Each structure stands twice: as structure tokens, then as C-alpha cells.
Amino acid sequence: MTTTGEELVTARGGPWWWDRRRSAVFDVGLAVASALECGLEGVPFAREAGVPAAVGVVFGVLAGSVLLVRRRWPIAVVLVAIAVTPAAMGFLMGVVGLYSLAASEVPRRIIASLAGMQSVGVLIVMFVRMRQNLARGELDVGDWIVPFASITMAIGVTAPPLLLGLYVGARRRLMESLRERADSLERELQLLAERAEERAEWARGEERTRIAREMHDVVAHRVSLMVVHAAALQAVARKDPEKAVKNAALVGDMGRQALTELREMLGVLRSGGDGGQRRERASVPLAAVGAAAAAAAAASRAVDEGEGPCLSEIEELVGQSAAAGMVVDLSVEGESRSCAREVESTAYRVVQEALTNVHKHAAGAKTYVRLAYRVSEIAMQVENEPPSGVGASAGLPSGGNGLVGMKERVSALGGVFVSGPTDAGGFRVSAVIPAS
């Protein structure tokens, strides 16, 4: 972060009204020089006014010292310079005071008025003194030189410091404006970086949740069926060898299917290059934010566009549960049609997870799977009767995330998900998903 704006002003500091110590030392030097000048010019002024020389010197020193406050009260410095102009003193004070006034934040009309007053004062004093010198014979020049010299002196004393002060003031205001803009842009960039980091973190969290849901759907269903078939294999191994061989083959097929689906998901994760993004995040935080968000979006598109389950595989899914010993009845209403990939995948996963829950919590219960193709939506319902106790020895564990995952999937597509026990003691899972 760069130090700009108010932080820079606060950091440098200075005594009283000065921003920096160097400025204070410079103004003190100018005030001392102006006091010496006015003090020396106070001697002839005192002689002409008929007062002691010490009075003229003290008056000149006090008048010249006013230059010390030129940054705080520039108007006062110019007024004092105008006041002592008839005494032919304060040349340095008048020039520096007018410059300070023009460079300050004083309104332009006040600057113009005081500059005009000082110019007129110098013009009048110069004109009167030159006329007096001509009258005493101290100057031997033409009459035309008096107004010319007076006008030239008035312009030369007031115009250069006025123009220089206006330029410096405009440049200072421009620099302050640029510094404020830099501060504002820096704050906006910091805020954008924080928001981008929050969005990236949210995207990573959503991606982790989605991947965990996919893993749960794949592993829970396949492994549950494998456990059920393994339990049946153990029960019939000696009594019915042929059925035991069939069950063993089913266990092998389901294991290979589970491994294939897991391999596809892990391949998507590897192709996202998350490891490289994590290494970059430590050295280039802002760049890693965009990279992480892009990687998450790419991974999400890769999974959504991949070859996932579809509604045409529902019969095969139900057949796998039936082969595992479940009494399951499938009914399809309406004309079967193709829908969006994510809609079909979500509907398939809802039925799959519901059947898995029946294997876990209601082994041996008769189950009804209903799928309805409507005009603008797809409805599915999985309902099981009270468990009969058959197959309870399988001992399937439950993570408690199945219903939550189904509801998240359906809600993400704008659908409605309802689950709960039935009056007969069974359990029902229903979902309605927009078809488009």
C-alpha cells in the first residue's frame, strides 16, 4: 500500500500551522530577512517623519516580521504590505505576501482586489516620489518617464508573484485532487479484492458441497447395494451356490461401476489444477482469487456437461435394488421425453438416494417408485411400507446427509422437495422439478 492523502500529511507533521519543519524554517528565514529590510528602511522613514530613528527601526522590524504568518493569514500580510507602501519599505514582504495570497485557498475576487490595491499603492507612491525628485532636481529626465516608470514598477512588483502564486496554487490543488482520487481508487480496489476473495471462497465452498454431494450419491448407493448383496451372499453361500455366484458377480459389477464414477469425478478435479492455484494464492493473492473462481466454474461446467445419469436408466436402477432383494414396483406416467441434463441427473439422484435410504432403514419393505412426465415439470415419488425386518443384519451406516443433499439439488433447480413418514408407518420422498 502506498501512503497518500491524509496519511501522508499526518506522517510528515510540523510545528503549529506548518505541515513540515522545513516549511517552518523557510518562513522564519523569510521573516528575518523581511524584518532586517524593513528595519533598515525604517531609518530614512523616521528621518522624513521627524521621529527618532529607533522608532522607525522598531516599526520596520515589527512590520517585516508579519511575513512569519504568511501561510496562515496571507490576507493580513498583504494588508500590512499595502499599509507600509507609503513609507517605502516592505518590498520583500509585498512580493512574498502577494505570492502566498495567490497560492492560498482565498476566493479569487479577494485576491484580485488586494492585488489591485497593492498595484495602485505602488503606482501612486512611485509617481509621487519621482515627481518630488524631479522637483528637487535630483533627476534630469523627461516628464514622460515618470508615469512610464511608475506603471512599470507597479506591474513588475505585483504581476510576477501573482501569476506564480496562482500557478502554484492550481498545481497544489491538482495534486491534492489526484491524491484523493488515488486514495479512493486504492480503497475501491481493496474493497473489490475483498469481495472477490469472498466470492471465490463462496465458490470454493459451493464446489466442495457439490462434490461431496456427488460423492455421497455415488458411494452411498453403490456401496449399500454391495453390502446388501454381500450379506445375501453370506447367507446363501452354502445353501445355493449358484445364487451365491450370481450375487458375487453383482457385487463385482457394482464395485466397478462405483470406481468408474469416482474416477471420472476425480479426473475433473485433477484437470481443474487446484494444486497450482493454491500455490499461486500465497504469492499473488489477487490473481489467485480470479484463478480460483475460474477453476471452480470450469470444474462445475465440466461435471454438468459430462455424461451423468439420466431418467432412461431408472429401470436399471430399480432392477439393481430388486436384485438385492428389495420388492420394488416402478410406474411411469406420461410420455417419456428428454430433458435438460441437470434435470434428469437430479431426478435420477433423488430416486437413487431414496432407494438407498430404504436399503439402510427399511430393509425388506416393499417400495413404490413413481415417475410422472408432466407438461412443464417432472415429478417423482419413492414410498416404502413399514420395514419387515428382513435384511436388517446388513448393518448399513447412515451419515444423515441424504435428505439434505436431495433437497439442495431440487431447490437449486427451482423445484419442490418433501419428505416424511406416512400414516401407515413407512416413509415417502416426493420431488417436483421444472422440466426446462
Side-chain angles (χ1 to χ4, degrees):
M1 294 275 183
T2 56
T3 304
T4 55
E6 296 180 358
E7 296 180 0
L8 180 61
V9 175
T10 304
R12 57 195 185 190
W16 294 346
W17 55 81
W18 287 283
D19 294 336
R20 294 174 292 185
R21 296 183 183 275
R22 184 175 61 183
S23 301
V25 173
F26 181 72
D27 286 355
V28 169
L30 286 177
V32 171
S34 178
L36 291 176
E37 177 202 353
C38 293
L40 294 175
E41 293 172 345
V43 176
F45 168 72
R47 187 184 310 116
E48 293 178 1
V51 296
V55 176
V57 172
V58 171
F59 174 75
V61 170
L62 293 177
S65 301
V66 176
L67 201 58
L68 185 67
V69 297
R70 71 181 186 92
R71 297 179 189 266
R72 186 68 178 272
W73 297 294
I75 296 178
V77 175
V78 175
L79 290 176
V80 172
I82 295 173
V84 300
T85 299
M89 65 171 64
F91 174 79
L92 178 61
M93 179 172 58
V95 172
V96 176
L98 188 59
Y99 162 80
S100 303
L101 177 66
S104 65
E105 301 295 332
V106 176
R108 294 294 179 86
R109 63 179 183 276
I110 297 178
I111 296 175
S113 301
L114 293 178
M117 291 172 60
Q118 184 169 351
S119 180
V120 172
V122 172
L123 176 65
I124 295 174
V125 170
M126 188 67 181
F127 184 85
V128 170
R129 285 186 174 274
M130 290 189 68
R131 294 292 296 178
Q132 289 176 351
N133 292 335
L134 285 175
R136 288 195 297 265
E138 297 178 0
L139 293 176
D140 187 12
V141 294
D143 292 340
W144 63 271
I145 199 68
V146 175
F148 176 77
S150 301
I151 295 174
T152 303
M153 185 66 178
I155 295 176
V157 170
T158 57
L162 178 65
L163 295 177
L164 181 61
L166 290 174
Y167 167 74
V168 172
R171 184 174 179 274
R172 182 186 300 138
R173 286 187 288 272
L174 176 62
M175 295 300 295
E176 291 177 355
S177 176
L178 293 176
R179 188 178 296 117
E180 290 177 358
R181 290 184 181 180
D183 289 340
S184 177
L185 288 175
E186 188 175 6
R187 288 192 294 268
E188 289 180 3
L189 287 176
Q190 185 176 2
L191 182 60
L192 288 175
E194 293 175 356
R195 290 181 178 177
E197 181 65 30
E198 292 176 358
R199 288 195 295 269
E201 186 63 30
W202 175 83
R204 288 192 292 269
E206 288 293 315
E207 189 67 10
R208 285 193 295 267
T209 302
R210 189 189 60 78
I211 292 172
R213 190 163 53 235
E214 292 285 344
M215 297 281 285
H216 175 270
D217 291 340
V218 171
V219 175
H221 181 72
R222 302 292 185 191
V223 174
S224 297
L225 291 179
M226 290 170 64
V227 172
V228 171
H229 280 293
L233 177 61
Q234 183 180 5
V236 302
R238 296 180 180 178
K239 299 179 181 179
D240 192 348
E242 293 183 1
K243 188 173 182 180
V245 172
K246 183 179 179 180
N247 286 342
L250 288 174
V251 171
D253 291 339
M254 292 176 186
R256 283 188 291 272
Q257 292 176 5
L259 287 175
T260 301
E261 294 185 11
L262 288 175
R263 189 177 297 111
E264 291 176 356
M265 296 176 62
L266 294 176
V268 171
L269 294 179
R270 292 193 187 97
S271 64
D274 186 63
Q277 309 296 342
R278 190 178 297 110
R279 286 193 296 271
E280 291 180 5
R281 190 178 302 123
S283 58
V284 190
L286 191 56
V289 169
S300 179
R301 288 193 298 270
V303 173
D304 291 340
E305 296 173 0
E307 293 295 331
C310 57
L311 289 176
S312 60
E313 302 174 9
I314 288 290
E315 293 185 6
E316 181 182 354
L317 178 66
V318 172
Q320 292 174 357
S321 294
M326 178 186 293
V327 181
V328 54
D329 177 63
L330 172 64
S331 62
V332 180
E333 300 177 5
E335 183 179 357
S336 177
R337 65 180 187 276
S338 298
C339 301
R341 171 64 64 180
E342 57 184 4
V343 173
E344 294 200 12
S345 175
T346 300
Y348 180 92
R349 294 301 188 190
V350 169
V351 176
Q352 182 186 58
E353 180 61 27
L355 291 176
T356 302
N357 287 341
V358 175
H359 283 292
K360 289 181 180 180
H361 307 292
K366 186 175 182 180
T367 305
Y368 302 91
V369 178
R370 299 182 180 89
L371 181 63
Y373 291 90
R374 298 172 183 172
V375 177
S376 59
E377 60 188 16
I378 295 178
M380 64 226 67
Q381 178 177 290
V382 179
E383 179 180 352
N384 62 272
E385 296 178 353
S388 61
V390 179
S393 59
L396 294 172
S398 175
N401 297 317
L403 295 176
V404 175
M406 283 190 283
K407 185 174 182 180
E408 290 177 352
R409 282 179 176 275
V410 174
S411 299
L413 298 179
V416 178
F417 178 84
V418 178
S419 63
T422 62
D423 296 337
F427 199 85
R428 180 188 298 119
V429 173
S430 301
V432 179
I433 305 175
S436 57

